[in-house]
Tab-separated table of all heavy atoms in Angstrom:
chain	number	residue	atom	x	y	z
A	4	VAL	N	106.862	68.847	107.986
A	4	VAL	CA	107.055	69.765	106.865
A	4	VAL	C	106.363	71.079	107.219
A	4	VAL	O	105.171	71.090	107.552
A	4	VAL	CB	106.468	69.206	105.557
A	4	VAL	CG1	106.491	70.275	104.457
A	4	VAL	CG2	107.243	67.982	105.109
A	27	GLY	N	112.635	77.641	114.394
A	27	GLY	CA	113.748	77.614	115.336
A	27	GLY	C	113.392	76.917	116.635
A	27	GLY	O	114.185	76.116	117.167
A	96	VAL	N	98.119	72.191	98.286
A	96	VAL	CA	99.093	71.403	99.059
A	96	VAL	C	98.396	70.542	100.104
A	96	VAL	O	98.915	69.487	100.494
A	96	VAL	CB	100.161	72.301	99.727
A	96	VAL	CG1	100.985	73.049	98.691
A	96	VAL	CG2	99.546	73.264	100.732
A	151	SER	N	93.021	95.058	92.025
A	151	SER	CA	92.849	94.613	90.638
A	151	SER	C	91.561	93.806	90.538
A	151	SER	O	91.357	92.846	91.301
A	151	SER	CB	94.040	93.751	90.205
A	151	SER	OG	93.734	93.011	89.044
A	162	LEU	N	88.821	80.968	96.426
A	162	LEU	CA	88.121	80.725	97.690
A	162	LEU	C	86.932	79.799	97.479
A	162	LEU	O	86.637	78.951	98.335
A	162	LEU	CB	87.668	82.053	98.296
A	162	LEU	CG	88.770	83.065	98.629
A	162	LEU	CD1	88.181	84.298	99.311
A	162	LEU	CD2	89.855	82.443	99.498
A	171	SER	N	88.740	70.180	104.802
A	171	SER	CA	89.362	68.868	104.964
A	171	SER	C	90.623	68.919	105.835
A	171	SER	O	91.194	67.860	106.144
A	171	SER	CB	89.722	68.278	103.596
A	171	SER	OG	90.863	68.933	103.034
A	301	THR	N	101.632	91.342	117.481
A	301	THR	CA	102.753	90.829	118.275
A	301	THR	C	103.209	91.819	119.327
A	301	THR	O	103.684	91.426	120.405
A	301	THR	CB	103.922	90.470	117.343
A	301	THR	OG1	103.464	89.532	116.366
A	301	THR	CG2	105.070	89.844	118.116
A	305	GLU	N	104.685	91.354	123.263
A	305	GLU	CA	105.951	91.947	123.697
A	305	GLU	C	105.726	92.876	124.881
A	305	GLU	O	106.551	92.930	125.812
A	305	GLU	CB	106.598	92.696	122.532
A	305	GLU	CG	107.058	91.761	121.415
A	305	GLU	CD	107.540	92.499	120.184
A	305	GLU	OE1	107.022	93.613	119.910
A	305	GLU	OE2	108.422	91.969	119.477
A	319	GLY	N	88.772	91.827	116.985
A	319	GLY	CA	89.655	90.722	116.636
A	319	GLY	C	90.215	90.013	117.854
A	319	GLY	O	89.506	89.689	118.809
A	330	PRO	N	82.830	88.127	128.764
A	330	PRO	CA	82.119	89.310	129.250
A	330	PRO	C	82.567	89.707	130.651
A	330	PRO	O	82.717	88.869	131.539
A	330	PRO	CB	80.651	88.868	129.240
A	330	PRO	CG	80.600	87.755	128.244
A	330	PRO	CD	81.923	87.057	128.348
A	351	PRO	N	87.383	99.103	145.232
A	351	PRO	CA	87.306	100.044	146.334
A	351	PRO	C	86.133	100.985	146.126
A	351	PRO	O	85.441	100.924	145.112
A	351	PRO	CB	88.638	100.786	146.234
A	351	PRO	CG	88.987	100.712	144.794
A	351	PRO	CD	88.476	99.400	144.330
Side-chain angles (χ1 to χ4, degrees):
V4 171
V96 297
S151 163
L162 300 184
S171 74
T301 304
E305 293 173 329

